[in-house]
Amino acid sequence: MLGSGSAGNSALIATDHCKILVDGGLSARQIVVRLEQCGVAPEKLDGVLLTHEHGDHVCGLEVLCRKLDIPVYANALTAEAVRCDSALDRHRNWRIFRTGAEFNICDITVQTFPVPHDAVDPVGFAFRAGARSLGFITDLGYATKMLIERLREVHTLVIETNHDEKLLQNDPHRPWPVKQRIMSRHGHLSNTAAANVIEELLSGKIERVVLGHLSRDCNTPELATGVIRALLAKVGKIDMEIYCATQSEVSPRFRIGETKAGAFQPSFESAFFQTA
Ligand SMILES: [Zn+2]
Ligand SMILES: [Zn+2]
């Protein structure tokens, strides 16, 4: 996780052959600095995948793409929303996928699925490389049945623990309509809601959870981790690894599995529509 929280989100997913960003919601400068901390030169990126068009997921993209011709992967509505009113309209390297599609970026298979959130066509991802996989759901009001099914096989799950319900309800700064939006079925997962999602996945292959997208005012890493730990203690799964990502620092590198050594043979990928 290069950084995660209500003020900005970006993550790096990498194999020996492939480096992709999920969202570009930090300043371009911070993305570059943090990639370098991970030993990745920004011009070596194989793509940026977008979950949805909200500023905390795309705000660094315009400047990043001004300097680099990185392929940007998004569904059509998200691409349209990001491109309107921004210099990204001049970016030529868009790869448009249909929500629900599965495609490859080098040796990483990307599965996309819709998530309920107040954006034009928000998605979550499941990534697979070798025999291991990673689920990625950051902005969603609740977990649909389909989404749970998509995530049953993942070993590591990145999930939002956006807010503590009490802190949000008692927050003096947010007007009621904003609180209602956050708590709605197209808003964000609370710590408890995220715990419920994790509980549903315990019968699957999950062995590590990375918590993210915490609200600065209405949550703390201690509260979020506490709720998840309490759940895992209740069901006797105390060996599960939990990490809470922060806004200001790059997380440790999470090793999800091994991929085959040796050269990777790229294959022709036909899942995309290039847009002019
Ligand atoms: Zn959002
Ligand atoms: Zn967000």
Side-chain angles (χ1 to χ4, degrees), residues 52 54 56-57 117-119 139 181 188 213:
H52 65 301
H54 287 163
D56 58 319
H57 298 262
H117 185 59
D118 56 355
D139 293 51
R181 195 223 117 209
H188 290 278
H213 211 300

Side-chain angles (χ1 to χ4, degrees), residues 76-108:
L77 289 175
T78 302
E80 192 186 307
V82 172
R83 291 173 76 169
C84 83
D85 295 330
S86 108
L88 276 164
D89 201 32
R90 290 200 295 273
H91 186 64
R92 286 285 162 255
N93 208 346
W94 286 86
R95 311 268 166 102
I96 305 299
F97 60 80
R98 282 187 221 277
T99 298
E102 185 178 294
F103 51 88
N104 298 315
I105 307 177
C106 309
D107 60 345
I108 299 181

Side-chain angles (χ1 to χ4, degrees), residues 11 24 78 93 113 131 139 154 223 226 229 244:
T78 302
N93 208 346
F113 48 85
D139 293 51
V154 305
L223 282 170
R229 267 193 221 295
C244 190

